Amino acid sequence: MKVLLFNGSPKKKGTTARALAEVAAEIKAAGIETQTLQLGTAAVYGCAACLHCRTNSTVCRYADDVCNDLVAAAQESDGFIFGSPVYFAGANGALCAVLDRAFYSSFAHFVGKPGAGITVCRRGGASATFDRLNKYFTFAQMPIVSSQYWNMVHGINAEQAKQDLEGMQTMRVLGRNMAQLLKHIEAGKATGLTMPAPAVEERLFTPFIR
């Protein structure tokens, strides 16, 4: 089993990285492998609505940013943690651009796998950012892993984030809950129980303007 942690901050050692590290430590302690990908500072593309991914093996046409790296890692992962800093009371726009493309082009790589979002901020906007990240999971029929509070940490840098004792504890509980759920899913598979197929019914789309 493996959990993919995606750092949606341009900073490799900032507050988002510190919060993700707290989660990852608990997952590793439970004997589950982790992998961390970094959004970084390179330019990323937004979705061009070109539908290339619908006719070309679920690969996004823009192959020179981190999106297809995320998709490739998603195929080999059993759970996901996406972390974002708060920008104007919302998730990092570059992260959302990548997630928009990854979830649209490669929906099947996420379906049924547990996911969680975490957010870090100096002061406010964490709840709205947390809500934004959760939208991806509900779109992809993913069980959302919770903690003892909303998954947020406060601090302007990694050192301050460590001082948010409640936030750090929330991250640890999240890591343990993710590990426990993955073990339950694995135990179910051993008895022949599997997650539902992503297309049990033909997908219906109802336009509001007719």
Side-chain angles (χ1 to χ4, degrees), residues 33-91:
E33 181 184 355
T34 66
Q35 176 186 358
T36 300
L37 288 181
Q38 169 74 31
L39 176 67
T41 57
V44 300
Y45 296 92
C47 179
C50 65
L51 301 182
H52 177 276
C53 59
R54 287 293 182 262
T55 57
N56 291 272
S57 303
T58 71
V59 174
C60 182
R61 65 178 294 185
Y62 299 121
D64 54 347
D65 69 9
V66 72
C67 180
N68 285 334
D69 293 336
L70 169 58
V71 168
Q75 296 182 61
E76 308 299 326
S77 300
D78 303 290
F80 303 90
I81 308 284
F82 294 108
S84 178
V86 172
Y87 288 0
F88 289 90

Side-chain angles (χ1 to χ4, degrees), residues 6 10 24 56 83 86 88 93 106 111 114 125 127 154 158 162-163 166 172 176 183 185 194 203:
F6 194 89
N56 291 272
V86 172
F88 289 90
S106 305
V111 169
S127 294
H154 289 77
K162 287 172 58 179
Q163 297 174 45
E166 183 177 356
R172 292 193 296 273
R176 291 195 290 270
K183 289 181 177 181
I185 292 173
T194 59
R203 185 73 178 268

Side-chain angles (χ1 to χ4, degrees), residues 6-21 36-42 83-87 92 94-95 120-122 155-160:
F6 194 89
N7 182 352
S9 168
K11 297 181 179 179
K12 290 184 178 181
K13 297 182 179 180
T15 49
T16 308
R18 183 65 192 84
L20 286 170
T36 300
L37 288 181
Q38 169 74 31
L39 176 67
T41 57
S84 178
V86 172
Y87 288 0
N92 180 356
L95 171 63
V120 301
C121 67
R122 181 189 68 84
I156 201 167
N157 53 43
E159 189 57 38
Q160 286 188 8

Side-chain angles (χ1 to χ4, degrees), residues 182-194:
L182 286 175
K183 289 181 177 181
H184 287 173
I185 292 173
E186 193 71 10
K189 288 179 180 178
T191 67
L193 181 65
T194 59

Side-chain angles (χ1 to χ4, degrees), residues 23 116 118 145-147 151 170-178:
V23 180
I118 69 169
V145 182
S146 61
S147 184
N151 303 335
T170 300
M171 297 299 103
R172 292 193 296 273
V173 172
L174 175 62
R176 291 195 290 270
N177 287 348
M178 171 63 81

Side-chain angles (χ1 to χ4, degrees), residues 83-123:
S84 178
V86 172
Y87 288 0
F88 289 90
N92 180 356
L95 171 63
C96 289
V98 170
L99 294 182
D100 286 350
R101 290 161 53 212
F103 274 80
Y104 189 76
S105 68
S106 305
F107 173 83
H109 300 328
F110 297 95
V111 169
K113 299 177 181 179
I118 69 169
T119 179
V120 301
C121 67
R122 181 189 68 84
R123 187 172 178 84

